[in-house]
Amino acid sequence: MTADTPRWTEIEHLPEWDEEFYNIYTAKKFGKWVMIKTLKPEYRDDPAYADMIDREFDVRYNLAHPNIVMINDFEDIPGIGRCIVTDDVYGDSLRKLIREGRVTDAHIAQLRRQLPAALAYIQANHIVHPRLRPENILFTENIGNLKLIDVGFEQRPSLTPQEASDDIYNYGLVLTEALDAAKSTDSTLRQVARRCTDPDPHRRYRDITRLQMALENKSSRSLYLLIIAFLVVMVLVLLWLLSPCAPKPPVG
């Protein structure tokens, strides 16, 4: 980079990626590709929405997860306005892949493992976020990594049980749509998706941890049995070491 390298070049609006209140752009900052998001013109002069974008930057700046788009700057960009600058995550949304019939087993595998991990991280940080949907799930262009691009702008001391249940329900909707698009017959994933979207919240998975165990085809009972078996083995070893049959240390 030289002294005369322009700060911003090749700014391009990406209408398909626009969020409810934001326009999304791709651009080069000092020659490096980044993504930028800014308030739509109709919200730009409203103090409430200006405060919202400020809070989103404050909340998300310190988040760090491989499946969440990372924020790295907040600045005024000529001709666009006050913008959040994120890592470059150009690629295809899950919605586009579904619409074009391009959902693969590799995408399903990431929805099975990486998306719940991202949700668990968001919940652990008590981030109130928009409804999970195919539009805000992205697969990067070259490597195909899953990235959640619309994470939210409010952090609370805790999330409500209803908010956690809504995450599980919406995950089930996304998974069902992706499985249908991929024409998948994976019985485990189909069963998980049905339970996530059960009309009765009490019959859904109680939390993301139980959802992840179900996705891996594990059960709490199996985990408990493994723990008990380990403890039994350790007790038997301890009893043997304390018994007369245990080997005696060599006499010096």
Side-chain angles (χ1 to χ4, degrees):
M1 183 179 68
T2 64
D4 58 352
T5 301
R7 187 178 184 85
W8 291 102
T9 58
E10 300 186 47
I11 299 175
E12 179 185 354
H13 183 206
L14 304 175
E16 185 175 348
W17 289 26
D18 284 349
E19 300 171 11
E20 184 177 2
F21 303 110
Y22 297 109
N23 285 336
I24 308 298
Y25 297 79
T26 183
K28 282 185 176 179
K29 181 180 180 181
F30 293 125
K32 177 183 177 181
W33 284 108
V34 296
M35 307 294 291
I36 53 180
K37 61 188 296 184
T38 187
L39 289 168
K40 292 180 178 179
E42 59 266 35
Y43 304 117
R44 199 166 293 161
D45 297 325
D46 188 319
Y49 291 101
D51 179 64
M52 181 184 74
I53 193 172
D54 286 346
R55 284 187 288 121
E56 176 163 352
F57 175 78
D58 290 340
V59 167
R60 291 185 56 189
Y61 183 69
N62 291 316
L63 297 182
H65 189 278
N67 302 117
I68 293 175
V69 173
M70 307 309 299
I71 286 178
N72 54 47
D73 211 344
F74 192 36
E75 62 179 282
D76 292 304
I77 299 178
I80 297 181
R82 191 73 166 153
C83 298
I84 289 175
V85 184
T86 75
D87 294 338
D88 176 34
V89 288
Y90 193 77
D92 293 323
S93 70
L94 178 58
R95 171 59 66 209
K96 182 177 181 180
L97 295 173
I98 290 172
R99 185 172 64 245
E100 296 178 357
R102 294 194 289 121
V103 179
T104 67
D105 289 343
H107 296 128
I108 297 296
Q110 293 189 69
L111 293 173
R112 182 177 197 160
R113 295 183 175 87
Q114 296 179 5
L115 184 54
L119 286 175
Y121 180 80
I122 291 171
Q123 288 191 0
N125 283 276
H126 309 146
I127 306 296
V128 180
H129 58 93
R131 176 175 62 86
L132 184 68
R133 54 200 178 95
E135 286 78 2
N136 55 29
I137 300 166
L138 178 79
F139 294 92
T140 58
E141 185 175 39
N142 295 323
I143 304 176
N145 285 339
L146 182 148
K147 297 283 186 178
L148 199 54
I149 62 174
D150 192 4
V151 177
F153 59 87
E154 183 179 357
Q155 190 168 29
R156 297 179 184 168
S158 63
L159 298 180
T160 68
Q162 182 61 52
E163 288 166 333
S165 181
D166 287 347
D167 273 348
I168 290 171
Y169 179 80
N170 291 321
Y171 173 81
L173 292 180
V174 167
L175 183 60
T176 298
E177 208 172 343
L179 289 170
D180 289 346
K183 298 180 173 58
S184 173
T185 58
D186 189 308
S187 59
T188 296
L189 293 184
R190 290 286 182 182
Q191 183 177 354
V192 168
R194 283 194 295 271
R195 183 168 174 184
C196 285
T197 55
D198 194 299
D200 182 355
H202 295 97
R203 290 202 290 262
R204 299 173 196 160
Y205 299 102
R206 286 194 293 169
D207 52 46
I208 295 292
T209 299
R210 286 176 173 79
L211 169 60
Q212 290 174 304
M213 292 182 68
L215 288 166
E216 296 301 325
N217 206 14
K218 298 176 182 178
S219 67
S220 299
R221 185 173 176 225
S222 298
L223 179 61
Y224 295 148
L225 289 174
L226 285 173
I227 293 173
I228 291 171
F230 174 76
L231 292 174
V232 168
V233 170
M234 295 305 295
V235 169
L236 291 174
V237 169
L238 180 61
L239 291 174
W240 178 72
L241 290 173
L242 296 175
S243 73
C245 298
K248 299 295 187 290
V251 177

